[in-house]
Amino acid sequence: MKRIWLILLAPLLVMAWLVWALKYIWAIIFDPDHAWVLAMSKDQLANAAFNGDPDETISSRAGRHNLGDKDQECWSKILCWLLNHIEKDHCELARRAFLKITKSKRF
């Protein structure tokens, strides 16, 4: 029964994506701060799709994977290297921001 509901939900999810895309384009032009929030939502969605925490961005996850020498994954090294060319220490800053958010949610 759960699969039937998930199948019925699929067209609504496609419509939601289209609404998101239109809203994102509008926000880039008229409200860049909101566009940033919308971009972060897709970043978190992508992280959840790859079995990550749905509240965490891919950058933060990559930053966690790059701590120390253990369990470093090739994708995280490459992603952080690319993002560091856009913003210095991007993955580390994202990791710290996520830690700050998760600590504030506990209390």
Side-chain angles (χ1 to χ4, degrees), residues 20 24 27 31-44:
W20 176 90
Y24 182 66
D31 189 1
D33 290 336
H34 188 64
W36 189 254
V37 170
L38 293 171
M40 295 264 304
S41 72
K42 285 299 177 192
D43 191 352
Q44 291 170 323

Side-chain angles (χ1 to χ4, degrees), residues 7-80:
I7 290 170
L8 293 174
L9 186 62
L12 293 174
L13 294 174
V14 171
M15 286 176 33
W17 186 88
L18 289 172
V19 169
W20 176 90
L22 292 172
K23 177 72 174 178
Y24 182 66
I25 292 167
W26 179 87
I28 288 171
I29 297 166
F30 297 107
D31 189 1
D33 290 336
H34 188 64
W36 189 254
V37 170
L38 293 171
M40 295 264 304
S41 72
K42 285 299 177 192
D43 191 352
Q44 291 170 323
L45 175 65
N47 190 48
F50 290 109
N51 299 322
D53 184 329
D55 290 330
E56 185 176 24
T57 63
I58 293 174
S59 302
S60 172
R61 184 176 174 188
R64 282 190 302 105
H65 282 285
N66 284 338
L67 289 176
D69 291 333
K70 286 187 173 181
D71 300 327
Q72 285 189 359
E73 296 182 25
C74 184
W75 70 267
S76 65
K77 287 181 184 180
I78 293 169
L79 180 65
C80 288

